[in-house]
Amino acid sequence: MVILITGASHTGKTLLAQKLLEKNKYPYLSIDHLKMGLIRSGNTSLMPEDDEALTEYLWPIVREMIKTAIENNQNLIVEGCYIPFGWRKDFDNRYLLSIKFICLAMTEKYIENSFNDIIRCEAEIESRLTDDCTVDSVKADNRYYINGFRQFAEQIVLIDSDYEKTIDNLLI
């Protein structure tokens, strides 16, 4: 089983991956770690803020890692925002049957009511460089993911009220 976790920034992708690792003992790949390794090693001239270009650059690598894990009957959690909206077109049914897709997004109401908690918890699992995160930027990021994945008929886990309960319900 490959568990593919994506979604907007600050939604808890890394927290969910960590909880799944602890519960199921599945290894996990952080696409952000792969990104930074390639950037810091000089294997790309892309910068951390080049989101679209990074998705195009990283996805072919991640996609083939997923296929390799499935072909070898290995479990893997893959977590990050560099998963294209139309990711399913890159896999035939024998792969898709072994992939569980999770997209996390927050409703605007939740962001408005919980913004201070969102910022307070942003570095709960890994250190995060301070960014210029605002209520409006978090809303825009979440709308981007919701609209993009809905265009491809993907299910989205909407965080609307009880964050912990929503995340705990995803622990398989």
Side-chain angles (χ1 to χ4, degrees), residues 134-147:
T134 65
V135 169
D136 289 337
S137 68
V138 173
K139 284 182 181 180
D141 194 32
N142 279 269
R143 275 193 305 272
Y144 173 77
Y145 280 87
I146 291 168
N147 294 336

Side-chain angles (χ1 to χ4, degrees), residues 40-60:
R40 288 180 173 173
S41 67
N43 282 293
T44 181
S45 61
L46 294 171
M47 300 299 291
E49 57 276 357
D50 296 334
D51 289 337
E52 280 188 42
L54 281 164
T55 299
E56 290 177 23
Y57 180 69
L58 294 169
W59 179 244

Side-chain angles (χ1 to χ4, degrees), residues 28-172:
Y28 94 81
L29 167 70
S30 166
I31 302 174
D32 278 342
H33 291 174
L34 176 62
K35 167 190 77 174
M36 291 311 298
L38 291 164
I39 289 171
R40 288 180 173 173
S41 67
N43 282 293
T44 181
S45 61
L46 294 171
M47 300 299 291
E49 57 276 357
D50 296 334
D51 289 337
E52 280 188 42
L54 281 164
T55 299
E56 290 177 23
Y57 180 69
L58 294 169
W59 179 244
I61 299 165
V62 172
R63 176 191 68 217
E64 297 309 315
M65 292 172 75
I66 291 169
K67 288 178 181 178
T68 301
I70 292 169
E71 290 163 356
N72 287 288
N73 296 312
Q74 296 170 327
N75 298 313
L76 180 64
I77 300 163
V78 178
E79 171 269 318
C81 62
Y82 303 104
I83 298 168
F85 298 135
W87 68 273
R88 285 183 190 269
K89 71 175 175 29
D90 294 330
F91 300 97
D92 62 33
N93 249 3
R94 73 183 162 127
Y95 294 109
L96 289 172
L97 291 171
S98 296
I99 299 173
K100 177 177 176 61
F101 175 77
I102 301 171
C103 177
L104 298 176
M106 298 174 187
T107 64
E108 292 198 4
K109 179 186 88 172
Y110 181 81
I111 295 166
E112 289 169 4
N113 293 337
S114 305
F115 185 72
N116 289 336
D117 290 334
I118 293 167
I119 297 306
R120 182 178 48 76
C121 295
E122 71 181 351
E124 195 165 300
I125 298 296
E126 62 185 3
S127 295
R128 189 187 275 264
L129 296 176
T130 304
D131 56 16
D132 295 326
C133 185
T134 65
V135 169
D136 289 337
S137 68
V138 173
K139 284 182 181 180
D141 194 32
N142 279 269
R143 275 193 305 272
Y144 173 77
Y145 280 87
I146 291 168
N147 294 336
F149 281 111
R150 280 193 176 153
Q151 285 181 350
F152 288 88
E154 294 290 353
Q155 294 289 328
I156 298 159
V157 176
L158 285 176
I159 300 161
D160 187 47
S161 58
D162 189 333
Y163 180 86
E164 291 297 324
K165 183 177 178 183
T166 302
I167 296 299
D168 287 347
N169 285 340
L170 295 170
L171 300 177
I172 57 173

